Amino acid sequence: MTVLSPDATTPVEIRKKGGERLTIRWADGHESVYLARALRGRCPCAQCVSETTGARLVAEGHVRPDVAIAAARPIGNYALHFDWSDGHTTGIYGFDYLRRICPCAACAGADA
Amino acid sequence: MSAVTIREPQVLDALRSVMDPDLHRDIVSLGFIRNLVIEGDVVSFDVNLTTPACPVKDRLREQSRQAVLQGVPGVRDVRVTMTAEVRRPQAPDTSALKTVRNIVAVGSGKGGVGKSTVAANIAVGLARTGARVGLLDADIYGPSIPILMRAGRPAEPREHGIEPGEAYGVKLMSMGYLTPGDQPLIWRGPMAHKALQQSLLGVNWGELDYLIVDLPPGTGDVHLTLVQTVPVTGAVIVSTPQDVGLQISMKTLRMFQQTKVPVLGIVENMSTYVCPHCGGRDDLFGHGGARDAATSLGVPFLGEIPLDAAIRRYSDDGRPVILAEPESPSGAAFGAITGRLAQQVSIQAFKHIALTIVEE
Ligand SMILES: Nc1ncnc2c1ncn2[C@@H]1O[C@H](COP(=O)(O)OP(=O)(O)OP(=O)(O)O)[C@@H](O)[C@H]1O
Ligand SMILES: [Mg+2]
Ligand SMILES: [Zn+2]
Ligand SMILES: [Zn+2]
């Protein structure tokens, strides 16, 4: 895993379009656009990723296609918390993690 | 018709063999079993999971069914209904802290380096400049702020939260106040977690420019709770000139960096020895280590405080030296540090983009 610079993991702007899309602009100028279902499918919580094996238990294919962000709020300075329309609320997405899962073509595959 | 009577404890005992694979506990002790009904030789119940998206739902259903069928004599049929209720994570209501502009954590790698002394003097120093200041003692292992500030217990919690105490123009709260009586209490993680949340969010802080939080030494649960509960403006790290202290401080520094809490600066305490008779200085441990470390880490150096018996004396007396003797070398050192800290907080407030999620 490559080490990300502080600027790469510091958000300067967070925008949300309804429940369907979240956009983060980072201090290094990069912009990440996350679609709701893909983001729900990468929830890092213990219900979605096995604590013992690290295997993903709930992936994008397991969640309803129309899943939406019901609410989003920052946790301290370092993470975002989502309430999902399917009732899931236990995931806390650190900004480091969010940057690592940026789905853009330039980042995809760089750190899977 | 079966002749045996099936009893609820038998069913529950049988179900105890079914484990939730993620929570590593049996589904009975997890409280998942609801609406257990025994009608003759038919047993029915709900298994209430923590998420409807549970990927092992079908497996748990079958395991529960088999456990009762095979584990309880006389059962002919088992009807399992899978339900789900998402348990809320602690998502504290931070609205109470909307009136607090800046939260500054004071931490150190090891104990006894003067963290509480620095926190109290900074708080009083800021208040002396006219700022509205609160001081929260989050050191459950050895609360000392009430002594340092000679403050009594605050009023009992009222319907609308705890009224903080006050001394020298500083609003005070100690997690020690939430300890019942004088009985020694072993604070386990979850209790400390709750007590800190209550101290932050359940206290009527009112309008504050600065809330100084005196953390326990080292890195641990309390730090994590703090950064997860409220947006921390920044942290001050207190260390002593001895190398060991500095080494440990690095761990504290990294912890703050990992949780995106800006480090406002390092304070070197017990730096030089000031002779009480002539005012002459002597480097007892060879000072300057913290300054060098700060420089190499790119972290502001806030200043050094001499090793001075007066600091201890005034502290023991419940009057921080910055108040008792502001013009003395120690009082002046704290004054300078307070000024530099306020400056760093302003820089952060300027740099810090209030993390809000805007609707587009
Ligand atoms: N610069 C100083 N000169 C002399 N005595 C000092 C100085 N700084 C702190 N002390 C004394 O050292 C002792 C420890 O200080 P303090 O309680 O502030 O440390 P702490 O880091 O908060 O400790 P703990 O880890 O127990 O919370 C106290 O008796 C205090 O009065
Ligand atoms: Mg202390
Ligand atoms: Zn999850
Ligand atoms: Zn990208």
Side-chain angles (χ1 to χ4, degrees), chain B residues 13-346:
Chain B
D13 275 347
L15 284 169
R16 271 183 232 281
S17 65
V18 182
M19 305 292 282
D20 181 292
D22 293 315
L23 304 173
H24 309 295
R25 275 174 60 191
D26 72 272
I27 60 175
V28 177
S29 73
L30 282 166
F32 286 1
I33 307 301
R34 309 271 171 95
N35 302 323
L36 174 59
V37 177
I38 301 162
E39 284 173 306
D41 52 8
V42 178
V43 176
S44 57
F45 53 86
D46 299 349
V47 177
N48 190 263
L49 299 175
T50 50
T51 169
C54 179
V56 293
K57 187 150 81 180
D58 293 332
R59 202 168 93 205
L60 281 177
R61 179 206 302 275
E62 196 45 34
Q63 284 178 352
S64 308
R65 225 179 78 81
Q66 292 300 335
V68 177
L69 265 182
Q70 284 161 22
V72 185
V75 175
R76 184 173 55 84
D77 195 11
V78 180
R79 293 177 193 158
V80 186
T81 309
M82 302 303 284
T83 59
E85 171 199 350
V86 177
R87 279 61 155 183
R88 283 215 146 260
Q90 315 90 337
D93 175 13
T94 52
S95 57
L97 276 178
K98 288 249 158 64
T99 54
V100 176
R101 302 232 162 111
N102 293 289
I103 299 172
V104 176
V106 181
S108 71
K110 59 169 187 173
V113 298
K115 202 168 4 68
S116 302
T117 306
V118 170
N121 278 282
I122 284 175
V124 173
L126 287 167
R128 279 165 56 89
T129 67
R132 295 162 298 181
V133 184
L135 176 57
L136 169 57
D137 185 354
D139 189 350
I140 44 169
Y141 306 101
S144 49
I145 294 296
I147 300 161
L148 285 174
M149 301 283 282
R150 204 197 286 155
R153 280 179 100 85
E156 283 305 300
R158 287 195 267 160
E159 199 179 332
H160 296 293
I162 302 167
E163 262 331 291
E166 188 163 346
Y168 314 123
V170 175
K171 290 189 177 168
L172 298 172
M173 173 66 196
S174 173
M175 274 169 57
Y177 297 149
L178 300 174
T179 320
D182 45 32
Q183 84 192 73
L185 188 76
I186 298 152
W187 288 82
R188 286 172 299 122
M191 286 186 80
H193 179 83
K194 257 197 74 199
L196 179 55
Q197 286 196 333
Q198 204 187 341
S199 305
L200 285 163
L201 307 176
V203 170
N204 302 324
W205 291 109
E207 293 272 344
L208 289 186
D209 297 307
Y210 304 95
L211 175 61
I212 311 294
V213 183
D214 180 17
L215 289 171
T219 57
D221 292 348
V222 173
H223 301 68
L224 216 54
T225 299
L226 177 71
V227 301
Q228 287 177 349
T229 307
V230 290
V232 177
T233 311
V236 172
I237 294 173
V238 181
S239 80
T240 55
Q242 293 100 313
D243 235 347
V244 204
L246 264 180
Q247 290 266 319
I248 306 169
S249 300
M250 294 308 120
K251 267 172 93 176
T252 313
L253 184 87
R254 273 197 294 276
M255 190 230 20
F256 284 123
Q257 286 172 338
Q258 274 161 10
T259 46
K260 296 251 180 256
V261 173
V263 175
L264 300 167
I266 296 179
V267 171
E268 185 174 278
N269 189 27
M270 311 191 195
S271 194
T272 45
Y273 175 71
V274 179
C275 174
H277 307 294
C278 66
R281 288 164 174 268
D282 187 17
D283 290 0
L284 212 61
F285 307 108
H287 81 292
R291 183 192 292 271
D292 294 345
T295 310
S296 69
L297 288 159
V299 170
F301 181 68
L302 297 179
E304 48 202 46
I305 301 148
L307 179 73
D308 175 6
I311 292 179
R312 188 193 197 118
R313 201 172 55 243
Y314 285 119
S315 287
D316 291 350
D317 200 32
R319 252 176 356 132
V321 72
I322 197 167
L323 184 95
E325 268 192 59
E327 313 297 339
S328 70
S330 299
F334 276 119
I337 285 168
T338 302
R340 281 181 215 122
L341 172 67
Q343 194 182 8
Q344 288 302 322
V345 170
S346 305

Side-chain angles (χ1 to χ4, degrees), chain A residues 5-6 9-19 21-23 40 46-47 49-52 57-58 62-63 72-81 83 86-92 95-96, chain B residues 21-24 50-56 85-94 224 226-234 257-262 351-360:
Chain A
S5 75
T9 56
T10 304
V12 291
E13 190 185 13
I14 308 173
R15 301 193 309 269
K16 186 170 82 68
K17 186 165 184 294
R21 192 175 74 192
L22 184 90
T23 305
R40 168 69 182 88
Q47 289 174 23
V49 179
S50 164
E51 278 179 292
T52 35
L57 304 171
V58 178
H62 298 111
V63 293
R73 68 179 180 97
I75 305 259
N77 305 322
Y78 76 101
L80 292 181
H81 173 257
D83 284 347
D86 62 4
H88 192 59
T89 59
T90 42
I92 290 176
F95 288 121
D96 282 64
Chain B
D22 293 315
L23 304 173
H24 309 295
T50 50
T51 169
C54 179
V56 293
E85 171 199 350
V86 177
R87 279 61 155 183
R88 283 215 146 260
Q90 315 90 337
D93 175 13
T94 52
L224 216 54
L226 177 71
V227 301
Q228 287 177 349
T229 307
V230 290
V232 177
T233 311
Q257 286 172 338
Q258 274 161 10
T259 46
K260 296 251 180 256
V261 173
K351 270 207 291 194
H352 183 76
I353 301 97
L355 265 188
T356 48
I357 300 167
V358 294
E359 198 60 49
E360 59 179 355

Side-chain angles (χ1 to χ4, degrees), chain A residues 26 30-34 98-99 101-108:
Chain A
W26 305 98
H30 195 72
E31 195 164 275
S32 305
V33 181
Y34 307 91
L98 281 164
R99 179 60 188 258
I101 62 167
C102 173
C104 84
C107 298

